[in-house]
C-alpha cells in the first residue's frame, strides 16, 4: 500500500523520453553561461538560507514552559494501585452496575424458586438449583477478583510490549493540563471543560473525561504544588462561577 503513495520527491516524467523533433545539440557557450548562472544562483540561495536561519529561533524555552506549570503529579503504576483504580472505575460505571444487579437478581430468584420447589417435593429441579447456585457463586467470585485480574493483565501487557515501568505524569497550567505516559513519551492535552466529574479513592483524585476515560492523580506524589492547594484550584477550574 505504501509503495503506491507518491511524496513530493516522487514527481516524475511519465515517459522519460525526448521527442524526436527536439534539438539536443547544445552550444558550449550556452553550457558555460548556464553553469555560471547556476553557481551564482546557489550562492544567492545559500545567502538567503543563512539569513532565514538567523531570523528563525527554533529553540525550546524550557524555563518559560516550567514557569507555566502550577502542579505536577508523577507516579509509577503498580498492581495494588491499578487494582484500587479499577475497583473505583467498575463501581462508577452505572450501566455495568445495573447489568450486574440485574443478573444477580435473576440468579437469586432462580435459586429461591428452586428451593421452594424442592421443599414441595419437586426433586427433578434439584439439578437446576445446583447449577444456579454455582453460577451465582462464580459470578460473585469474579466480581470480587475482577479489579485484580484487570490490574495484572494491564501491567503484564504493558511490560510485555514495552519492557519497562508504567509511569504516568500529569501537569496542570492555568489554561490546560497534560497527561503523559513517560515511558512511551506520549502525551495528550485536555481543557478543564472536558472534566465531567471528580472522584476520590484512598490514594487517588480521579478526573473523569467523558463517560469512559479517567485520569488518576496520586495524592502523595506531587512534584510541584501540594494536594491541599490543588483541590481548590481544580474546583475553581471546573466550576468557575462558584
Amino acid at each position: 500500500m505504501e509503495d503506491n503513495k507518491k511524496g513530493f520527491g516522487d514527481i516524475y516524467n511519465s515517459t522519460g523520453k525526448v521527442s524526436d523533433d527536439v534539438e539536443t545539440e547544445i552550444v558550449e557557450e550556452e553550457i558555460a553561461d548556464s553553469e555560471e548562472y547556476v553557481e551564482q544562483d546557489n550562492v544567492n540561495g545559500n545567502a538567503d538560507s543563512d539569513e532565514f536561519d538567523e531570523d528563525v529561533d527554533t529553540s525550546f524555552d524550557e524555563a518559560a514552559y516550567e514557569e507555566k506549570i502550577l502542579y505536577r503529579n508523577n507516579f509509577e503504576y503498580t498492581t495494588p494501585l491499578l487494582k484500587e483504580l479499577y475497583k473505583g472505575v467498575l463501581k462508577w460505571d452505572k450501566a455495568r452496575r445495573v447489568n450486574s444487579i440485574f443478573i444477580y437478581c435473576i440468579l437469586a430468584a432462580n435459586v429461591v424458586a428452586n428451593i421452594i420447589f424442592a421443599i414441595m417435593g419437586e426433586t427433578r429441579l434439584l439439578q437446576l438449583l445446583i447449577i444456579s447456585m454455582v453460577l451465582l457463586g462464580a459470578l460473585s467470585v469474579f466480581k470480587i477478583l475482577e479489579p485484580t485480574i484487570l490490574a495484572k493483565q494491564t501491567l503484564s501487557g504493558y511490560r510485555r510490549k514495552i519492557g519497562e515501568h508504567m509511569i504516568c505524569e500529569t501537569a496542570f497550567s492555568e489554561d490546560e493540563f497534560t497527561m503523559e505516559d513517560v515511558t512511551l513519551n506520549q502525551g495528550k492535552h485536555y481543557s478543564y471543560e472536558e472534566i465531567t466529574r471528580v472522584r476520590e479513592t484512598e490514594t487517588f483524585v480521579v478526573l473523569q473525561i467523558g463517560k469512559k476515560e479517567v485520569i488518576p492523580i496520586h495524592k502523595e506524589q506531587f512534584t510541584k504544588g501540594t494536594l491541599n492547594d490543588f483541590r481548590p484550584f481544580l474546583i475553581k477550574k471546573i466550576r468557575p462561577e462558584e
Side-chain angles (χ1 to χ4, degrees):
M1 181 69 69
E2 293 180 357
D3 293 337
N4 295 329
K5 296 180 179 179
K6 297 294 182 182
F8 292 113
D10 295 319
I11 299 175
Y12 59 95
N13 188 294
S14 58
T15 63
K17 297 181 180 179
V18 180
S19 301
D20 294 335
D21 58 349
V22 177
E23 183 178 357
T24 58
E25 183 178 351
I26 305 176
V27 181
E28 292 184 0
E29 292 181 358
E30 293 178 349
I31 296 177
D33 293 341
S34 176
E35 291 177 349
E36 181 180 355
Y37 174 77
V38 170
E39 182 178 355
Q40 182 64 31
D41 185 60
N42 288 336
V43 172
N44 294 336
N46 292 334
D48 293 340
S49 177
D50 294 339
E51 182 179 354
F52 177 77
D53 291 339
E54 291 178 359
D55 293 339
V56 177
D57 183 10
T58 59
S59 62
F60 173 69
D61 194 341
E62 186 175 353
Y65 171 78
E66 183 63 27
E67 187 177 352
K68 292 181 179 179
I69 302 302
L70 303 176
Y71 300 92
R72 177 179 280 113
N73 192 270
N74 186 301
F75 70 94
E76 178 183 342
Y77 278 107
T78 62
T79 299
L81 288 180
L82 273 174
K83 175 183 175 182
E84 178 184 335
L85 183 60
Y86 276 123
K87 188 175 181 180
V89 170
L90 294 174
K91 181 178 66 175
W92 299 329
D93 191 334
K94 291 183 179 180
R96 188 186 187 92
R97 189 168 67 248
V98 169
N99 291 336
S100 297
I101 293 174
F102 180 71
I103 295 174
Y104 272 122
C105 289
I106 291 178
L107 289 176
N110 194 25
V111 169
V112 171
N114 286 318
I115 291 175
I116 293 175
F117 287 132
I119 294 175
M120 295 172 62
E122 295 289 341
T123 56
R124 293 174 299 176
L125 299 176
L126 184 59
Q127 185 177 5
L128 186 57
L129 170 62
I130 295 174
I131 294 175
S132 297
M133 293 182 68
V134 170
L135 290 176
L136 186 60
L139 179 61
S140 300
V141 172
F142 175 75
K143 288 297 180 182
I144 294 174
L145 297 179
E146 187 175 15
T148 303
I149 295 172
L150 290 174
K152 290 184 177 181
Q153 286 181 340
T154 300
L155 277 183
S156 63
Y158 190 95
R159 288 168 181 165
R160 184 169 58 252
K161 180 179 179 181
I162 308 301
E164 297 185 30
H165 302 295
M166 188 175 178
I167 301 175
C168 176
E169 178 175 290
T170 312
F172 297 84
S173 66
E174 191 68 34
D175 301 321
E176 65 175 9
F177 62 99
T178 304
M179 192 278 289
E180 179 181 1
D181 185 318
V182 176
T183 309
L184 293 176
N185 194 26
Q186 294 179 350
K188 186 175 180 180
H189 296 269
Y190 300 88
S191 66
Y192 292 101
E193 289 78 10
E194 295 180 73
I195 301 175
T196 56
R197 195 155 189 174
V198 178
R199 294 183 171 93
E200 289 198 28
T201 67
E202 182 180 350
T203 306
F204 295 111
V205 174
V206 183
L207 311 181
Q208 183 171 331
I209 310 296
K211 294 183 177 180
K212 297 294 184 181
E213 187 176 1
V214 295
I215 299 177
I217 310 300
H218 199 297
K219 294 180 180 179
E220 297 181 359
Q221 298 296 328
F222 278 90
T223 57
K224 188 172 185 179
T226 65
L227 175 63
N228 291 335
D229 293 334
F230 176 70
R231 280 197 180 103
F233 167 81
L234 187 61
I235 292 174
K236 184 179 180 181
K237 285 299 177 183
I238 61 179
R239 297 177 182 173
E241 70 280 358
E242 295 184 4

